[in-house]
Amino acid sequence: MDFRAIHDHLRAIDAPGLLGSDEPRPPSKEKKDKGRAGDPYLLIDPQLLPQFLHVCRDNPRLSFEMVMDITATDPKKDGEHFWINVQLISVRHKHRLALKCLLPKAHPVLPTCTTVHRTCQWHERECAEMFGITFVGHPDPRHILLPDDWIGFPMRKDYEFPREYHGISCE
Amino acid sequence: MMAVGCAHHDIDRFGAGAFRATPRQSDLMIVAGTVNFKMAERIKRLYEQMPSPKYVIAMGACATGGGPYYKFGYTVVKGVDRVVPVDVYIAGCPPRPEALLEGLMKLQEKIQGTPVIRKPKRTA
């Protein structure tokens, strides 16, 4: 199925947490629209993301049995939201889907997706240490790449670099 | 470093091809990659496990000064010389095999120029 068909099917079965969709479009001068490149994506409510993934996995026409990636994006330094980006792929039907969630920076908490896909563990651990996003219910919430005593969240736009770490100067 | 060990460039011509799998049998450490904070403590421990006299070669841009990670690499040590003393720096990203051999020869020169402390002659 292509993106439009997937979207219509999800609307038809009334998937939980589906808020909207966005597709790339060419720029137009009359509408003063800069256009958008990239992939089409679905906008999901972050608090209902596991339920949504569950529907996507178990629906026989979609059968998104694999999560390729869960990442976050910090689009603006003084913005109010993170993006959570999820890439799904269906090996059986050979189609893929991009999901996005808007997560408020003031309270970056969402339920873990490891209950649906166990692959999400490492992705969520990286996401948690790089952006300071809490995945509630994660079975192993340690750091994955950074040292255990690392302070700060390096992938945030307002991150300040450490001046020294364990006696090693960073100037 | 792999190319230097193999037949075309052949590190054994200089008598330097005795790679050891343990720091306790080695006298030269070649730091051949990016050093991050997690690794820096391990490198320091390895260096301290080597028997004296011991030497360090920082090979490539990353090991000498952080390389492309200098500005925005939040976990990258900006040169391995902030952790252990370095004798020879080799430029390049990655260095040519000839550069590594040149660095080895520079280190041999450096060792040859080191004065040897002699025992004072016994008097009476």
Side-chain angles (χ1 to χ4, degrees):
Chain A
M1 282 198 277
D2 62 346
F3 176 77
R4 196 63 69 77
I6 291 171
H7 174 251
D8 292 345
H9 184 64
L10 282 165
R11 280 273 180 232
I13 62 172
D14 199 16
L18 178 57
L19 298 179
S21 69
D22 191 14
E23 291 185 63
R25 55 189 184 276
S28 101
K29 276 197 175 161
E30 298 91 61
K31 293 182 199 163
K32 304 238 171 129
D33 185 10
K34 281 198 281 186
R36 185 175 85 80
D39 289 337
Y41 64 84
L42 295 179
L43 194 64
I44 312 291
D45 180 4
Q47 305 307 325
L48 294 173
L49 185 61
Q51 286 93 318
F52 185 83
L53 291 184
H54 202 274
V55 168
C56 285
R57 187 189 66 183
D58 290 349
N59 188 286
R61 281 190 64 197
L62 302 171
S63 76
F64 286 109
E65 60 273 88
M66 199 163 113
V67 168
M68 290 176 73
D69 205 0
I70 294 180
T71 53
T73 327
D74 187 1
K76 270 186 190 167
K77 190 170 185 178
D78 50 353
E80 307 218 322
H81 294 279
F82 291 122
W83 284 109
I84 303 285
N85 312 310
V86 185
Q87 299 281 338
L88 300 174
I89 194 165
S90 166
V91 182
R92 189 188 302 159
H93 297 309
K94 297 190 180 66
H95 56 210
R96 53 178 68 211
L97 181 64
L99 311 177
K100 282 193 175 190
C101 307
L102 268 178
L103 196 65
K105 272 187 191 177
H107 186 63
V109 176
L110 76 163
T112 178
C113 301
T114 49
T115 47
V116 189
H117 297 278
R118 284 170 70 195
T119 332
C120 305
Q121 282 195 16
W122 283 10
H123 299 148
E124 288 183 355
R125 276 168 73 182
E126 184 181 355
C127 211
E129 70 177 1
M130 292 296 177
F131 291 93
I133 295 165
T134 312
F135 290 87
V136 177
H138 193 284
D140 186 19
R142 289 177 297 154
H143 279 186
I144 186 167
L145 297 168
L146 294 173
D148 286 333
D149 57 348
W150 193 261
I151 299 165
F153 305 112
M155 285 295 178
R156 285 193 182 188
K157 282 264 165 67
D158 56 356
Y159 177 68
E160 286 186 10
F161 285 53
R163 312 205 89 184
E164 62 98 41
Y165 177 78
H166 285 198
I168 305 166
S169 153
C170 308
E171 298 293 313
Chain B
M1 194 147 66
M2 289 295 119
V4 165
C6 293
H8 193 92
H9 296 282
D10 198 8
I11 199 172
D12 283 318
R13 293 179 295 156
F14 306 95
F19 290 106
R20 295 280 116 185
T22 163
R24 296 180 196 278
Q25 296 174 358
S26 45
D27 48 13
L28 166 66
M29 174 162 74
I30 302 178
V31 182
T34 316
V35 183
N36 52 34
F37 288 133
K38 248 181 170 177
M39 207 61 180
E41 288 159 26
R42 274 77 166 175
I43 287 181
K44 196 168 184 190
R45 174 176 292 184
L46 281 176
Y47 179 76
E48 283 161 2
Q49 282 173 349
M50 285 162 61
S52 263
K54 49 194 173 183
Y55 306 93
V56 177
I57 287 181
M59 175 184 167
C62 286
T64 44
Y69 312 105
Y70 184 83
K71 195 163 180 198
F72 295 114
Y74 45 89
T75 52
V76 176
V77 180
K78 297 174 172 72
V80 72
D81 51 0
R82 301 189 182 207
V83 188
V84 293
V86 175
D87 295 283
V88 175
Y89 299 88
I90 302 174
C93 183
R96 286 284 309 164
E98 296 89 336
L100 181 54
L101 292 175
E102 172 83 21
L104 273 173
M105 287 192 278
K106 277 267 179 276
L107 184 63
Q108 284 168 348
E109 274 173 31
K110 184 175 176 177
I111 293 170
Q112 268 187 341
T114 312
V116 182
I117 302 169
R118 293 185 193 283
K119 270 188 182 172
K121 271 188 185 168
R122 277 195 186 177
T123 51

